[in-house]
Amino acid sequence: MNRRGLVGAVAAALALAVVPKRVKAAPQRKIRPPGALPRGQFEQACIGCFRCAEVCPTKVIRFPGALSLEVATPHLELADRACVLCMKCTQVCPTDALVPLRADADVVAKEVRMGVPKLTRSACLPWTGQGVCRLCYQVCPYPDRAVELVGPQKAPLFHADACVGCGLCEEACPESARAIVIEPLP
Amino acid sequence: MTVALPSHGPAPVKRALQPFDVTLRHGKRYQRVRVAFLTFSVLLTVGLPLWHLHALDVEGAGLAADNRWAAVGRWLPATPPPFVGAPTSVWVAFFELVDPLETLATALFRGVTLSLVWTVLPGVLLVVALGRFFCGWACPYLPLLAASNAARGLLTRLGLPTADVRLPRQTSRVVLVGVLLVGSILGVQLVPIVYPPAVIGREAFRAVFYGSLGAGALLVLAAFLFDTFVSRAGFCRSLCPGGAMFATLGALSPVRVVNERSKCTDCTVCDVVCNLGQSPMTNQLDGGCERCGKCIASCPTKALSFRLVPLRTGKEEAP
């Protein structure tokens, strides 16, 4: 290698050693697969190999198609399907952008936070006295922790700190109501 | 060296030797093995997502098979395969073959962890031993490159002009560093968006799972057009950051093409047929050689061959 090449190589190595660690980027808020690193770190680790989407039994893990910087990162389309917390995606990630987790109820309850539940009470049938429903409570993998039934009308009250964000409640909520949505983490 | 071609005018037209003028005479078994491996790689690119999709549909009985590939995948086994992934990231039973470039990009952000090292080690060892073989044996862009070369041949025969702008070979190294730097400034992994095997793998997955193509297809198309109209194999030779990575890692590979000068007639056919701008005729081959073996196959005097070269020197001295 001649001298110019050597100088270039050293400069490149220095730049690459310094710049990535100093950067604080603010990517979009998205619902990531379970076990994902925090926002910002996940986008740095994910190489877009789509293995997680390949093994997802409900096919809820999707890759966007439009031209953007996010085109090679997965998100969960909870408006369409739900995550059943099988944790297969975390087992196949090659760069640990999704931290490997066992499909154990307690491990998942502790480690998984994919989103925040947001209930619109005016649309919810028990809260408005228009029905019994309670489907969200019945499908929740952590009843009485992530969602509990309160009051004489036995309406759902969500607790974001215990909710894993799987979206089963959103899937179960009747189309006419659409009261509960899982929103991306702040 | 020029060839005389018949034309409609009174005098024959002369032009420089082109790759399609060159016949591959021997080394056919090597070419057959290579093409078989490449076919396997391309089939894996499309077949793995298809197999997984079929297994998911069977497992999720009750979920409608909402894809038009269901009919194609019906003959595949219902249990998912022990492989997962893409051309740049394959998990086979218990070991991984992950692209070193993407792993490097991850390590720049997240630091080098034992898990990352363990993940990337098989791939790196293969490249250190065999050189830039991925580009010549496994890259799913290769069929498009062959199509681009065929298109160039057709255009030349039709008399239409095709440029062959030869960018300096260091350009791909600059692209490599640039992609890593810009990605780190933006805080995202830029490599999977611009690196053709990753893009093609993801587009194949998208086509199988969603029945449509995304923005990545545009990049692949742009590379194809660049190769056809601007520079022969220009993307692979002078732009691909993955190629630069493999060339750097594989620079010390002992498996080299060697020209036995006593048999060489300096006909330049090997130099012409090389897609990557190497010069086998003068024994000037560096890490950029993708071990495709076309130079060996084209030599009329069988002067070229693969040899195991001692590691202490960069070049083999001609015997």
Side-chain angles (χ1 to χ4, degrees), chain A residues 16 19-20 23 25 41 43-44 46-48 50-51 53-54 56-57 59 62-65 67 72 81 92 94 96, chain B residues 48-49 56-57 66 84-86 89 91 96 102 106 108-110 115 180 184-186 189 192 201-202 205-206 210 215:
Chain A
L16 286 175
V19 174
V23 163
Q41 295 176 34
E43 286 78 3
Q44 293 175 344
C46 173
I47 61 171
F50 64 80
R51 288 193 203 174
E54 230 178 2
C56 176
K59 293 187 225 147
R62 307 278 168 87
F63 277 81
L67 190 65
R81 306 271 172 92
V92 296
D96 289 346
Chain B
L48 265 190
L56 288 178
D57 283 340
D66 50 353
V84 197
S89 169
W91 180 23
E96 307 237 17
E102 294 175 338
T106 306
L108 284 177
F109 280 122
R110 312 281 313 148
S115 158
L180 291 174
S184 58
I185 290 170
L186 295 171
Q189 288 257 16
R202 206 165 46 250
F205 155 78
R206 204 191 298 281
Y210 310 145

Side-chain angles (χ1 to χ4, degrees), chain B residues 4 8 37 78 81 94 99 103 121 146 159 179 211 244 258 290 293 302:
Chain B
H8 298 299
F37 192 90
F94 58 89
D99 195 276
T103 318
L121 205 56
V179 162
V258 171
E290 61 179 21
K302 290 195 188 175

